[in-house]
Amino acid sequence: MNDLTFITPEINWTVLGMPAFLMIWAMLVLIVDMFTSDRRILLTLSLIGLGVTAALGALDYGATISGFSDMLVFDKFGVLVNWILLAGTALTLLIAFDYMPRQNLSQGEFYPLVLFATSGMLFLVQSTDLVTIFIGVETLSIALYVLTGFAVPQFKSGEAAIKYLLLGGFAAGFLVYGIALIYGMTGKTNLAQIAAELSTWQSTGRALDDPILLAGVGFVLIALGFKVSMFPFHAWTPDVYEGAPTPVTAYMSVATKGAAFAAMLRFLNVAFPALKPEWQLLFGLFAAATMAYGNIVAVAQSNLKRMLAYSSIAHAGYMLLGVLAASEKGISAFTVYLLAYTLTNLGAFAVLIALENRGMPVFELSDLRGLGKRSPLLALAMTVFMFSLAGVPPTAGFASKFGIFRAAWDANLDYLAIIGVVTSVISAFFYLRVIVTMWMRDAEATEPQPTYATASLSFGVIVAVIGIIAVGILPNIFTDLAKALVLTVAP
Amino acid sequence: MTNTNDLGFTILSLVVFLPAVGAIILAFMRGQRGAARIFALGWSTLVFAVSLPILFNFKHDAAGLQFYEYFNWIPDWGVRYELGLDGISLWLVLLTTFVTPLAIWSAWNVEEKTNNFLMLILLQEMGMLGVFLAQDLFLFYIFWEFTLIPMYFLIGIWGGKRRIYATVKFFLYTFAASVFMLIGIIALGLLNYKYLAQQGLPTDTAFQVQTLMANINQFGLSDTELKLLFLSFFVAFAVKVPLWPVHTWLPDAHVEAPTAGSVILAAVLLKMGGYGMIRFCVQLFPQIAQEWARPIALLAVIGIIYGAVLSYAQSDIKKLVAYSSVSHMGFIVLGIFALNEVGLQGAVLQMINHGLSTGALFLLIGMVYERTHTRELADYGGLWKVVPVFVYFLLFATMASVGLPGLNGFVGEFLIMLGAFDSPIGWTFTAFAAVGVILAAVYLLKMFQGIASGPFSERRTPHLSDLNRREVAILLPLCILMLVIGLYSAYFTRPMETTIKALEAFVANAAPLIAGQ
């Protein structure tokens, strides 16, 4: 193939199907929104769109098809991560359904915006080229900038949006610059071709630790590390999470993270297996710092949303272990972890949403006092979520942590596994504090705050709880699925 | 599910999960406090009844696991769902099913959120039974950590004044110790997985205890690595036992827990530590267990003396009994690391004895506290004249705890000291342990005298009435068993004889390996 001739790519609908369908469907929802103000129609339409997108993945599940000059791939790993993202999106919409009008945020654009962001994520997950990775990252980011500022009359929401936009812009700059440097050194943007190019370097005796190449890799990872809130690129996380409307925070904390991690996995394992010792060492330190920082700082938080923000930083550290293990075990453990974390974190935020009053966000830890008496079922669900985040059996949080630590240990990253369990103990401290407050401390004398456990939200919470227990008791359902997919990522 | 017993059904799974079924049924009995109580008592008695066939069908002369059942749970990880029982776990399982109904019956006066309370006790029972029966490290760990959750709520919601402090300390202390065991489990499982794959054997038993016992010497682990692995397990169990100096969660948890919680904690939960030491520390790392028997015995002896001295210094009765647990559990660790038949038998028997006698003491303290609302020893006195039936039972349980010949405690402590004397631990440590027996008499008799004799004060201990029929009925089975074990301990030691002999031989044969390496 001659690199200089322009080849009109053949459009392969199987490869592009999931993101493309969701994008078109989102536009459709946007149009429908002009004619109706009935939120139920928008929600139903959105959920149907997500379902059909998931079904598109199931049609050719198991196949590995590459398309668009190998810029996108349809493989088991991609489909599986996409399913988790779609499930997370569906849960987000369910828990946001009653929240948005309650906060006087009744604009219908919310649904298509979330779908746009998800579509970008699906695209990112399937990307096997630096250019498509960039497109994916930007597609999801632009929608998220808007969503972060969705509650714009509130000062904090606007502040969060600006902060996220500015820092996100910097991250995008890093990403492009990194891509440029890598292209400059290798002449390729395709991940597999970069790997091939590097192996010819190796065979001709050219040194791989070229500073420009390393800088390029580093810049791309900074951008992706920003998206997953990896230490030390996490600084935006608490402020943005606190300011954004709660369902958006919930959505960002799981979906963005999942998609960016999937891209990171492909980037490191497909393009740069040759530099594995280097990135394993450097990112090992980052992972350790992320786990330690997130968990230790979370201990000091009294604001629940900020606590969950720091906890999500910590969980990024755990997921990073799966990425770093760079093995079958690691990749399968990563997907299990992503699923468990998606269900758990969305559930936890759903409980916060059920407690949030209009105009006066109820997010201090003390606001949970006596919840066990006021609404025991909600408190019970929150208990399950907290135990799962802490990694206590028999929840999904434990099974997935077990898989992650096992993969890390197997990849000779034993020091990371040990740091992982030590920080898990620290995390148990603040997750337990939530449980203590709900069940063991009585409400203050003031009038109890009402709770808004509406039908759609309750449905979302119940799905999350059942999913957590199911993955916790029968992780084999999912590990079996995740087992077969891994080889397509690292050829 | 593959099942290997003669009964025709998977009895162990039934016993483990029956309590959980009861808890689920209780969830649907909201608002019916009386009915819920009767149901929980009936159901836990049913669990006890269902567990009895295990005793009657237990083959005394078979060394390996019995009633063995399994299915491939997470083949990808090498994890199997596996339950099995041998002479070591037999009595602990029965102790659990026996004590739980009594604990439930003792909680008749819990008025607040009764259903939740009863549900948690049943879930606790399930977790503890799972710990004693699991034969796969992953499954074991799940049950092991699960037991934290119900107890955490039992102490935190129904406990005393400092309940939140006590329960968080309890959870974090034991959780922190246990995660290192998780690392050990992961490391062992991966090593075994690789070894099995290398040998061309099926890898789905990588976490199985039996396979690990057989293979662990083939992994090519260095002495240091073996020691670290041993430690990762030992620390978790030492905290649970609790061994000095990691005992500090116990007095807080015991004092703040509601009576039923204290009873379960003392009678069964602590035994999980001793059981784990035998099942994992000794069985998987016999060489290290031998090498470190003396240092561990030293900790145990320090615990015996230290617990005894602190117990004597307490003015709070419940705290006094709690510290006596530290002292008594030290004996059990001493017996385990004697690593011979007599010592191990004594240790297992003493686990049962301590469960019965300390369980009874906590029940008695709970009963009198319900009436007087004080636990200060100084407030009591002269109860002999006022509530004689209570005092008879207190005397009986105290004497059993002291180790009066003819009652259960004597047999266990005697065997332990015999075993320790006869082992490399030697006579010096044994002599100090014997001092612990004398001290036990000192502090327990101080407690008994303080309560029973002296002048009675109506003002400080008002509203005293003697034990009612329900309370007598709770205590009577415990006391009968104490007497039976004291007079006829052979019935209880015989089922474990074969298992323990095999274990002793296993440990003894493991010794040359380390010398040869």
Side-chain angles (χ1 to χ4, degrees):
Chain A
M1 193 164 38
N2 189 340
D3 283 344
L4 293 173
T5 46
F6 183 78
I7 304 162
T8 317
E10 200 179 313
I11 294 181
N12 185 329
W13 286 111
T14 313
V15 175
L16 193 58
M18 294 179 85
F21 175 81
L22 196 61
M23 181 68 81
I24 294 165
W25 192 269
M27 292 176 192
L28 197 79
V29 177
L30 198 59
I31 294 168
V32 172
D33 175 47
M34 295 196 295
F35 300 105
T36 173
S37 58
D38 192 343
R39 296 175 298 117
R40 271 172 298 183
I41 294 175
L42 296 178
L43 176 73
T44 316
L45 270 181
S46 305
L47 290 177
I48 291 172
L50 292 169
V52 175
T53 313
L56 284 178
L59 281 183
D60 291 290
Y61 184 72
T64 306
I65 309 162
S66 205
F68 299 95
S69 309
D70 295 335
M71 292 175 100
L72 281 182
V73 70
F74 178 95
D75 61 359
K76 274 188 174 179
F77 173 73
V79 173
L80 205 56
V81 173
N82 279 355
W83 280 344
I84 298 173
L85 297 179
L86 289 168
T89 311
L91 279 174
T92 306
L93 294 180
L94 281 173
I95 62 181
F97 179 66
D98 292 303
Y99 172 88
M100 300 308 275
R102 199 164 72 232
Q103 299 287 328
N104 212 5
L105 305 170
S106 48
Q107 296 93 326
E109 290 87 356
F110 177 76
Y111 298 94
L113 273 171
V114 172
L115 297 189
F116 282 136
T118 306
S119 163
M121 288 166 190
L122 305 187
F123 190 80
L124 179 59
V125 170
Q126 290 181 234
S127 296
T128 50
D129 190 289
L130 294 174
V131 174
T132 42
I133 286 180
F134 182 76
I135 297 173
V137 167
E138 287 312 295
T139 313
L140 74 91
S141 297
I142 290 168
L144 281 176
Y145 298 144
V146 182
L147 283 169
T148 309
F150 212 72
V152 84
Q154 286 174 23
F155 176 71
K156 279 204 160 176
S157 180
E159 185 196 330
I162 293 290
K163 208 169 250 178
Y164 193 36
L165 175 67
L166 281 178
L167 291 172
F170 273 115
F174 273 108
L175 185 55
V176 176
Y177 196 30
I179 292 171
L181 289 180
I182 293 171
Y183 179 72
M185 291 310 294
T186 62
K188 310 282 183 210
T189 56
N190 183 286
L191 298 182
Q193 285 173 13
I194 292 172
E197 176 71 21
L198 291 183
S199 67
T200 57
W201 286 24
Q202 268 174 322
S203 56
T204 55
R206 189 171 165 191
L208 284 177
D209 53 352
D210 183 285
I212 298 181
L213 179 70
L214 290 183
V217 177
F219 286 163
V220 172
L221 289 173
I222 287 176
L224 293 175
F226 172 84
K227 287 291 165 201
V228 300
S229 29
M230 177 183 78
F231 183 90
F233 313 112
H234 65 279
W236 58 277
T237 314
D239 292 343
V240 173
Y241 278 19
E242 194 190 348
T246 313
V248 177
T249 308
Y251 175 67
M252 281 166 71
S253 72
V254 296
T256 319
K257 221 166 258 210
F261 264 126
M264 196 188 267
L265 241 169
R266 285 202 205 269
F267 178 74
L268 289 173
N269 285 299
V270 180
F272 294 100
L275 292 173
K276 187 168 146 188
E278 281 83 4
W279 52 254
Q280 254 189 355
L281 181 68
L282 181 67
F283 272 60
L285 298 178
F286 282 164
T290 310
M291 292 185 285
Y293 177 86
N295 281 322
I296 291 170
V297 178
V299 171
Q301 305 303 317
S302 67
N303 180 313
L304 273 173
K305 235 171 146 181
R306 286 186 85 86
M307 189 205 93
L308 284 176
Y310 282 107
S311 124
S312 89
I313 294 175
H315 284 275
Y318 295 119
M319 275 188 258
L320 199 52
L321 293 197
V323 175
L324 290 181
S327 61
E328 271 197 34
K329 287 190 181 78
I331 295 162
S332 108
F334 164 76
T335 40
V336 178
Y337 202 97
L338 183 62
L339 175 71
Y341 175 69
T342 301
L343 292 171
T344 311
N345 225 35
L346 282 176
F349 274 109
V351 174
L352 292 198
I353 286 169
L355 299 175
E356 187 171 341
N357 279 309
R358 180 167 164 184
M360 206 190 74
V362 198
F363 283 135
E364 287 305 308
L365 189 60
S366 56
D367 292 318
L368 287 182
R369 282 178 172 224
L371 189 70
K373 276 199 187 115
R374 271 186 285 149
S375 36
L377 290 178
L378 211 55
L380 186 65
M382 191 64 165
T383 307
V384 174
F385 301 140
M386 289 299 124
F387 276 132
S388 182
L389 284 174
V392 180
T395 59
F398 169 70
S400 58
K401 259 189 188 150
F402 180 85
I404 285 275
F405 293 150
R406 177 172 173 269
W409 192 275
D410 192 49
N412 289 324
L413 298 170
D414 36 11
Y415 73 100
L416 286 179
I418 290 173
I419 294 173
V421 297
V422 172
T423 51
S424 295
V425 176
I426 300 172
S427 76
F429 178 74
F430 56 85
Y431 294 130
L432 280 191
R433 205 163 49 186
V434 174
I435 300 174
V436 165
T437 315
M438 288 190 304
W439 294 102
M440 299 167 198
R441 294 195 196 276
D442 287 330
E444 282 141 20
T446 53
E447 212 176 306
Q449 305 283 353
T451 53
Y452 303 94
T454 57
S456 61
L457 183 126
S458 306
F459 180 71
V461 169
I462 290 167
V463 168
V465 169
I466 292 174
I468 286 167
I469 302 291
V471 177
I473 292 178
L474 297 167
N476 55 323
I477 299 174
F478 205 75
T479 52
D480 288 353
L481 253 185
K483 191 190 172 190
L485 60 88
V486 289
L487 286 174
T488 57
V489 178
Chain B
M1 173 113 61
T2 311
N3 171 24
T4 61
N5 68 50
D6 309 333
L7 295 169
F9 64 102
T10 53
I11 185 165
L12 298 186
S13 292
L14 185 71
V15 170
V16 171
F17 292 108
L18 211 51
V21 175
I24 293 168
I25 297 173
L26 271 174
F28 292 100
M29 295 177 72
R30 299 212 165 268
Q32 304 159 22
R33 187 177 297 155
R37 273 183 198 136
I38 292 165
F39 170 79
L41 179 61
W43 192 269
S44 54
T45 314
L46 174 75
V47 175
F48 176 60
V50 171
S51 71
L52 282 177
I54 299 176
L55 175 61
F56 300 135
N57 288 285
F58 186 83
K59 293 187 192 69
H60 289 192
D61 45 358
L65 295 170
Q66 304 187 27
F67 306 96
Y68 183 65
E69 56 195 56
Y70 69 90
F71 69 85
N72 276 356
W73 182 18
I74 318 169
D76 190 24
W77 290 351
V79 169
R80 291 216 296 192
Y81 171 89
E82 280 196 10
L83 299 181
L85 168 139
D86 62 9
I88 298 166
S89 30
L90 171 72
W91 290 115
L92 291 167
V93 169
L94 286 162
L95 177 73
T96 312
T97 55
F98 174 73
V99 166
T100 306
L102 300 178
I104 287 177
W105 210 5
S106 79
W108 230 234
N109 296 330
V110 171
E111 298 290 340
E112 204 184 334
K113 301 182 204 155
T114 314
N115 285 51
N116 296 358
F117 187 89
L118 299 168
M119 278 166 73
L120 287 170
I121 289 190
L122 286 175
L123 288 176
Q124 183 77 45
E125 184 182 18
M126 178 194 86
M128 295 184 303
L129 288 169
V131 164
F132 293 135
L133 292 173
Q135 298 300 332
D136 179 284
L137 283 173
F138 184 86
L139 183 68
F140 170 79
Y141 189 80
I142 293 219
F143 280 124
W144 175 269
E145 290 288 64
F146 180 77
T147 56
L148 290 181
I149 300 175
M151 188 49 79
Y152 168 70
F153 284 112
L154 282 174
I155 301 175
I157 300 179
W158 290 272
K161 276 196 191 75
R162 289 168 68 244
R163 61 183 189 277
I164 293 175
Y165 169 78
T167 199
V168 170
K169 188 172 178 182
F170 160 74
F171 193 101
L172 288 180
Y173 226 95
T174 33
F175 188 68
S178 306
V179 291
F180 290 100
M181 178 161 72
L182 178 64
I183 286 285
I185 289 174
I186 288 174
L188 279 179
L190 278 171
L191 287 166
N192 202 19
Y193 193 93
K194 275 182 198 151
Y195 176 76
L196 290 170
Q198 207 180 26
Q199 300 290 312
L201 297 165
T203 52
D204 51 12
T205 55
F207 285 91
Q208 191 192 28
V209 181
Q210 301 294 315
T211 326
L212 272 167
M213 275 169 70
N215 294 349
I216 192 162
N217 285 318
Q218 316 299 324
F219 297 160
L221 290 170
S222 73
D223 194 42
T224 322
E225 285 167 330
L226 273 175
K227 277 180 179 155
L228 285 174
L229 282 171
F230 176 88
L231 268 184
S232 75
F233 282 87
F234 184 75
V235 169
F237 300 138
V239 167
K240 198 68 117 191
V241 163
L243 192 64
W244 184 88
V246 284
H247 64 279
T248 62
W249 63 270
L250 178 90
D252 288 310
H254 259 320
V255 170
E256 299 305 323
T259 301
S262 295
V263 171
I264 288 176
L265 201 59
V268 190
L269 211 67
L270 305 184
K271 310 307 177 290
M272 286 169 25
Y275 170 79
M277 283 184 184
I278 301 179
R279 175 73 74 215
F280 301 103
C281 289
V282 175
Q283 282 198 351
L284 289 179
F285 312 96
Q287 305 97 324
I288 312 294
Q290 279 180 326
E291 198 180 331
W292 281 357
R294 273 180 73 89
I296 293 169
L298 177 65
L299 293 182
V301 171
I302 294 178
I304 292 173
I305 307 279
Y306 179 88
V309 171
L310 276 190
S311 180
Y312 184 76
Q314 300 306 318
S315 59
D316 179 313
I317 317 172
K318 211 170 174 185
K319 234 177 191 164
L320 190 150
V321 179
Y323 275 108
S324 87
S325 279
V326 176
S327 182
H328 282 132
M329 293 306 288
F331 277 100
I332 291 167
V333 177
L334 189 68
I336 292 171
F337 283 90
L339 295 174
N340 54 27
E341 192 197 335
V342 184
L344 281 164
Q345 262 190 14
V348 177
L349 191 66
Q350 191 63 6
M351 287 200 237
I352 311 303
N353 293 338
H354 179 259
L356 297 173
S357 54
T358 310
L361 282 176
F362 275 119
L363 281 169
L364 284 157
I365 293 169
M367 287 165 185
V368 75
Y369 178 76
E370 266 172 22
R371 294 165 166 80
T372 61
H373 297 285
T374 172
R375 287 195 302 251
E376 284 301 308
L377 193 54
D379 288 342
Y380 285 94
L383 263 56
W384 190 266
K385 292 158 233 160
V386 193
V387 282
V389 180
F390 169 79
V391 172
Y392 296 151
F393 276 109
L394 184 68
L395 181 64
F396 197 92
T398 308
M399 285 305 146
S401 203
V402 165
L404 186 78
L407 292 176
N408 59 349
F410 172 73
V411 191
E413 281 174 0
F414 181 74
L415 285 175
I416 287 171
M417 284 192 280
L418 202 62
F421 189 85
D422 201 25
S423 78
I425 293 173
W427 66 271
T428 36
F429 286 0
T430 316
F432 277 107
V435 173
V437 180
I438 302 167
L439 290 177
V442 175
Y443 62 77
L444 282 168
L445 288 177
K446 171 197 159 192
M447 178 193 81
F448 177 76
Q449 277 185 340
I451 295 175
S453 54
F456 173 71
S457 161
E458 172 74 41
R459 185 175 58 77
R460 281 183 300 190
T461 50
H463 316 301
L464 263 179
S465 54
D466 215 336
L467 300 184
N468 58 33
R469 272 189 217 148
R470 174 179 64 86
E471 289 164 331
V472 171
I474 295 169
L475 291 166
L476 214 50
L478 287 170
C479 293
I480 291 172
L481 258 183
M482 289 181 217
L483 190 65
V484 172
I485 296 181
L487 296 177
Y488 189 49
S489 62
Y491 179 80
F492 294 87
T493 52
R494 199 181 301 134
M496 52 174 126
E497 226 171 61
T498 319
T499 313
I500 285 178
K501 265 188 185 143
L503 180 61
E504 188 193 18
F506 178 76
V507 175
N509 289 333
L513 268 173
I514 194 171
Q517 264 170 358

